[in-house]
Amino acid sequence: MTSAFSSVELVCASQQSVFLAGESGSVWRVVRGIVRLDRHSGPVCQPVQLALPGDLIGIEALCGQPYQLSASAFTPCRLEAVPSVADTAPQPLLQQALLQHMNRSQDMAQLRTGSVLQRLAHLLALMGLDVPPFGRPRMDDADAIRRALPALREVALLVDAKTETVCRGLAQLLPPRSRKSGPVRTVRDWSAAAPGRFASA
């Protein structure tokens, strides 16, 4: 990962590592997509937080510390390196990181508590995916939502549920898959949707 820190931009496919705990490098700003921050305890991976577009990750670098958590792309994402402390005052970044931590901690609590349907609905809202408050989305929209979601096991790990439970939950939130042939119409660039635009369940 050393070469990644020398560039000003980093593009990651879903599930690709951004950096590992213990490494040293830049502070990064999420430009598009969602990054997952994890704590590893032996073979166990514990999701700690999500970073949405506009959020900072690797803020420990402002204090000259190595990364405390590992970061990976929950969805395809693009990140930009934040100028080093020598080039910019750290106080505004630290203030942003503090407020961001408070908001994302609340998001994570909603993703790990309540019914699985509530957790999934909140995740879809964070991703900027249109799910009507009453009824189901249109077939084409539902197909686009499914294509935007990571693998079921990744979603299950994040919302602290079994893969089968997540599969059943999505079946309740979304209509059955379209049987039309050919590429599914993309309703919008889901990964670039602004966070917080849709109300959570």
Side-chain angles (χ1 to χ4, degrees):
M1 294 301 299
T2 305
S3 60
F5 301 130
S6 61
S7 64
V8 296
E9 183 176 291
L10 181 62
V11 178
C12 295
S14 182
Q15 300 181 43
Q16 181 179 339
S17 174
V18 178
F19 55 72
L20 298 175
E23 292 182 339
S24 297
S26 303
V27 176
W28 293 91
R29 187 183 303 279
V30 181
V31 177
R32 185 177 65 242
I34 298 179
V35 173
R36 196 181 79 198
L37 298 168
D38 301 319
R39 184 184 309 280
H40 293 275
S41 179
V44 178
C45 174
Q46 179 186 13
V48 174
Q49 211 167 69
L50 291 180
L52 306 182
D55 287 353
L56 300 172
I57 61 173
I59 198 72
E60 303 94 323
L62 289 177
C63 304
Q65 298 293 312
Y67 301 130
Q68 300 299 303
L69 302 171
S70 295
S72 60
F74 184 68
T75 65
C77 60
R78 181 166 68 89
L79 303 96
E80 290 180 350
V82 175
S84 66
V85 179
D87 301 325
T88 183
Q91 286 82 359
L93 294 177
L94 289 170
Q95 289 176 340
Q96 179 186 346
L98 176 61
L99 296 175
Q100 170 192 312
H101 178 74
M102 294 169 59
N103 291 332
R104 298 298 165 251
S105 294
Q106 293 178 35
D107 286 331
M108 203 64 192
Q110 289 186 262
L111 290 172
R112 310 284 284 186
T113 58
S115 71
V116 173
L117 279 180
Q118 289 173 324
R119 299 178 214 177
L120 290 172
H122 188 65
L123 175 61
L124 294 178
L126 288 178
M127 294 178 68
L129 303 177
D130 282 313
V131 177
F134 304 103
R136 293 178 169 185
R138 294 181 307 165
M139 182 71 73
D140 285 352
D141 290 355
D143 285 343
I145 289 172
R146 283 192 174 91
R147 289 168 60 91
L149 283 169
L152 281 180
R153 65 180 180 276
E154 298 297 317
V155 176
L157 178 65
L158 183 65
V159 301
D160 193 24
K162 294 182 178 180
T163 304
E164 297 80 4
T165 308
V166 168
C167 186
R168 289 194 297 269
L170 289 174
Q172 288 183 257
L173 290 172
L174 306 173
R177 288 184 182 275
S178 170
R179 295 186 178 182
K180 295 186 296 183
S181 60
V184 176
R185 178 175 63 87
T186 301
V187 180
R188 67 174 64 189
D189 181 5
W190 304 110
S191 63
R197 182 175 174 183
F198 304 99
S200 59

